[in-house]
Amino acid sequence: MNNIQILIIDYGSQYTLIIGRILRELGVRSIILPPKKVDKWLASNTPKAIILSGSNYSVHNEDAPDLPSSLDISVKENKYLILGICYGMQLLAYKMGGEVERPLSNREYGPAEVTLDTKHPLFKGIPEKTEVWASHGDTVVSLPVGFSPIASSSGISAMTDKENHIMGIQFHPEVTDTKEGKKILQNFLDLASCVKDWSATDLIFSIQNEVKEILNNKTKETGIVQNVILGVSGGVDSTTLASILVPVLKERLICVAIDTGGLREGELEELKINVKSAGVENLFIIDAKDEFIENISKTIDGEDKRGEFRNVYKRIFEEQIKKYNASFIVQGTLATDIIESGKAGESVMIKTHHNVGLSFEVEDLHPLRNLFKYEVRELARSMNLPSSIYERNPFPGPGLYLRIVGTPVSLERLELVRQADKTVADIIKKYKTEKEISQLVVALLGVNSVGVKGDERVYGYSLAVRAVQTVDFMTAKGYYFKEEIVNEITNALTKHKDIVRVFFDMTPKPPATTEFE
Ligand code: XMP
């Protein structure tokens, strides 16, 4: 698959994800990384350009996020074409000797009219006066040496160096309220000589070709037509991958699903329906509930639980590889999983994902490894899968095991979170809010506290309800339920004899991850 053309450095603006989405709409692949992860990523990747996002920091804050050291803008031959947006522009200007201030008179929040230098390639084909969306307290009041202003409103709204190599925009081109924002970003992509590389059809072909090539080589080596194992969960990633591989592998595609004991209510039935709609004929379901529970209940540490899950998962797949004489195994692992499990070279380990870096005896292929969830949803649409699949919210492989926190996993507690998850999901559906939520997490917190039920003291558990909104799960915003939904969820969940409290968790990611473990 092609290299990623644009690196977006996320300084924490609420609009960063939108930059990525607009670029995809313009047909160009990008990756969003926090500043800390940029140097390592750039050591093994060569994007055509870099965009610095906005932020709620001021460059004058003591803990203001800095430019990664690989973006040494003091070096004349800085090899990257850079566009700073809002804080990104202020940071560039400040680092190069310009002045950034918080003037009392010309703070801009909301719509603003700017006058553009339409001779500059960034503003090519755009009317001289246009409405933009601004949201900044700080402003660049004097430019670094060698820079000139190319847009103005009540102050400097955009800047460029002589070579059009480092540019900055004070307003937000990624927001729809900036009328010509998409055109500005397209102009930037043209300046960076980006080519359209985000086409669902091309991606589908390239995945099919990658798998076909490995299969042909293996078949040539051994003289025997080979089988391929695909781990399926019924989720959007593995179901989409199955639908892409069925036309290439046909009956040689062996789909294996594991009943881990950590599935949600009705999930196994849903899995069968989804995998069937992907055209799969060979689906084998392995019941390994006892083995998973026995091993995971040994510990309450989040990482150790993931480790135990992974060991059992690996053992089962090794057994299946032998049983079906498979020459390689394919998994629907995404870029997010690989980055967060610290296997992407650029990232620290956040949590061990159950299916990344397993070192099977046979080759382990992850054809979706460069894609994000929203991109896989596009592939699913192109494969004509039902909307129940491409709109499906994700659920982690280790499932409900990750949602029993601080207390050992047991059959009874698994059943408690399973029913609690169903209760909350049903209420959300009843209020028709499920489309506003990217993922729902209902977790049992193993901290006992006092409650009163039927005039009696109860010393029981708490449940945490967490819903998030996100495009790519690298960052997420906590979702605020309406009061009546909060009340209905709380009432329904505390009906259980052992539950005395319900917490609602709106912490964004970062700092909190989506799951509790
Ligand atoms: P976090 O908790 O890291 O989760 O913000 C991001 C997304 O990944 C899912 N997730 C996993 N999916 N195996 C998976 O298949 C895993 O080990 C795993 N851990 C987290 C999580 O549910 C969310 O959608």
Side-chain angles (χ1 to χ4, degrees):
M1 207 171 294
N2 298 339
N3 291 334
I4 288 170
Q5 298 187 77
I6 302 284
L7 163 64
I8 300 167
I9 305 182
D10 180 14
Y11 285 102
S13 157
Q14 52 179 325
Y15 305 133
T16 309
L17 289 179
I18 306 176
I19 305 174
R21 200 186 68 215
I22 304 278
L23 297 190
R24 178 170 62 80
E25 282 169 20
L26 293 170
V28 169
R29 303 205 59 226
S30 64
I31 185 170
I32 300 175
L33 291 177
K36 267 192 277 170
K37 294 188 179 174
V38 167
D39 288 333
K40 272 193 183 168
W41 189 81
L42 283 176
S44 49
N45 292 277
T46 318
K48 290 188 171 161
I50 297 178
I51 295 180
L52 315 184
S53 83
S55 173
N56 49 3
Y57 278 94
S58 156
V59 290
H60 299 297
N61 289 155
E62 231 170 70
D63 53 347
D66 206 345
L67 284 174
S69 53
S70 41
L71 260 74
D72 190 354
I73 43 179
S74 60
V75 180
K76 258 237 143 326
E77 299 76 41
N78 157 44
K79 55 183 177 213
Y80 301 112
L81 183 71
I82 301 176
L83 175 67
I85 294 176
C86 198
Y87 177 83
M89 164 165 161
Q90 293 156 13
L91 186 62
L92 289 169
Y94 182 64
K95 286 284 169 182
M96 289 183 289
E99 272 180 71
V100 177
E101 277 182 11
R102 174 157 296 194
L104 290 173
S105 55
N106 59 348
R107 289 184 189 188
E108 286 178 319
Y109 295 104
E113 191 184 65
V114 294
T115 307
L116 307 174
D117 171 359
T118 53
K119 288 195 282 309
H120 190 275
L122 202 55
F123 301 131
K124 199 173 104 190
I126 297 175
E128 197 181 337
K129 289 204 184 297
T130 182
E131 197 158 296
V132 300
W133 181 262
S135 173
H136 57 107
D138 283 4
T139 291
V140 177
V141 291
S142 102
L143 293 178
V145 176
F147 276 73
S148 24
I150 47 172
S152 60
S153 55
S154 52
I156 301 168
S157 293
M159 66 176 194
T160 185
D161 66 354
K162 285 198 187 85
E163 294 81 24
N164 294 334
H165 210 59
I166 299 182
M167 290 161 278
I169 308 180
Q170 185 60 84
F171 54 88
H172 288 271
E174 69 275 26
V175 174
T176 44
D177 304 67
T178 296
K179 268 198 189 139
E180 304 288 346
K182 214 166 179 178
K183 178 83 179 118
I184 295 172
L185 288 172
Q186 178 63 63
N187 285 342
F188 179 68
L189 296 179
D190 292 344
L191 271 169
S193 310
C194 289
V195 287
K196 284 195 189 230
D197 64 349
W198 211 106
S199 135
T201 324
D202 287 355
L203 277 175
I204 289 164
F205 278 137
S206 87
I207 291 168
Q208 290 176 330
N209 286 337
E210 181 178 25
V211 172
K212 230 190 280 176
E213 201 182 311
I214 299 182
L215 189 78
N216 289 344
N217 290 343
K218 301 263 180 211
T219 307
K220 249 188 238 153
E221 265 169 38
T222 58
I224 306 164
V225 180
Q226 303 287 322
N227 285 332
V228 178
I229 287 198
L230 169 65
V232 288
S233 67
V236 59
D237 310 330
S238 57
T239 310
T240 305
L241 187 54
S243 73
I244 294 173
L245 297 184
V246 165
V248 179
L249 299 173
K250 302 190 174 81
E251 71 288 347
R252 281 169 296 165
L253 181 68
I254 312 287
C255 288
V256 174
I258 307 178
D259 185 354
T260 63
L263 299 181
R264 287 169 296 183
E265 185 70 23
E267 194 152 19
L268 207 55
E269 287 317 305
E270 206 185 318
L271 180 151
K272 288 179 198 159
I273 296 169
N274 288 357
V275 172
K276 198 163 182 202
S277 69
V280 170
E281 281 175 15
N282 298 324
L283 170 67
F284 301 96
I285 295 173
I286 317 289
D287 180 351
K289 294 196 275 287
D290 295 344
E291 193 178 347
F292 277 102
I293 294 179
E294 192 187 320
N295 285 282
I296 299 171
S297 60
K298 283 185 207 154
T299 173
I300 60 166
D301 177 274
E303 253 317 282
D304 290 347
K305 278 161 78 178
R306 283 175 172 271
E308 294 294 341
F309 185 92
R310 193 177 149 87
N311 290 343
V312 179
Y313 182 89
K314 181 174 176 194
R315 196 201 60 68
I316 292 172
F317 272 95
E318 270 168 352
E319 210 172 76
Q320 303 309 306
I321 289 164
K322 285 210 182 83
K323 182 169 172 187
Y324 295 105
N325 205 7
S327 56
F328 64 99
I329 174 161
V330 185
Q331 309 211 56
T333 323
L334 300 190
T336 335
D337 309 332
I338 296 175
I339 291 170
E340 299 211 328
S341 55
K343 300 289 182 205
E346 74 276 12
S347 47
V348 293
M349 195 275 284
I350 306 293
K351 36 184 88 166
T352 303
H353 277 241
H354 68 288
N355 53 359
V356 180
L358 279 176
S359 322
F360 288 111
E361 273 167 31
V362 293
E363 202 170 331
D364 182 12
L365 189 68
H366 304 266
L368 309 179
R369 63 191 171 276
N370 285 328
L371 300 181
F372 293 94
K373 189 68 89 184
Y374 60 82
E375 296 177 301
V376 180
R377 292 194 203 281
E378 282 299 316
L379 297 191
R381 274 194 197 96
S382 301
M383 293 305 297
N384 293 320
L385 289 171
S387 60
S388 57
I389 293 175
Y390 59 73
E391 286 174 358
R392 194 176 190 263
N393 285 349
F395 184 64
L400 299 177
Y401 290 107
L402 303 178
R403 298 182 179 180
I404 298 173
V405 186
T407 188
V409 163
S410 67
L411 261 179
E412 184 210 350
R413 289 176 191 149
L414 279 169
E415 196 48 34
L416 195 157
V417 273
R418 184 175 292 120
Q419 292 313 320
D421 173 83
K422 178 167 171 23
T423 302
V424 180
D426 286 348
I427 294 174
I428 291 172
K429 245 184 236 141
K430 185 177 119 187
Y431 284 92
K432 300 195 178 11
T433 38
E434 74 265 32
K435 288 217 167 130
E436 290 170 32
I437 292 169
S438 313
Q439 188 162 355
L440 168 70
V441 177
V442 181
L444 175 76
L445 304 179
V447 184
N448 279 20
S449 69
V450 178
V452 51
K453 291 192 182 210
D455 293 335
E456 279 192 30
R457 174 193 151 101
V458 184
Y459 193 50
Y461 296 128
S462 307
L463 285 169
V465 176
R466 171 167 175 73
V468 296
Q469 292 180 309
T470 174
V471 176
D472 61 6
F473 286 94
M474 292 296 290
T475 55
K477 277 201 273 177
Y479 179 80
Y480 287 72
F481 289 105
K482 285 202 195 107
E483 195 177 333
E484 57 180 330
I485 305 182
V486 167
N487 289 339
E488 190 161 335
I489 290 175
T490 308
N491 289 339
L493 294 180
T494 49
K495 287 213 166 80
H496 190 283
K497 66 178 178 39
D498 296 327
I499 302 296
V500 292
R501 262 164 235 278
V502 179
F503 295 108
F504 286 81
D505 174 12
M506 279 78 85
T507 322
K509 173 183 180 178
T513 54
T514 314
E515 301 289 340
F516 283 73
E517 293 187 330

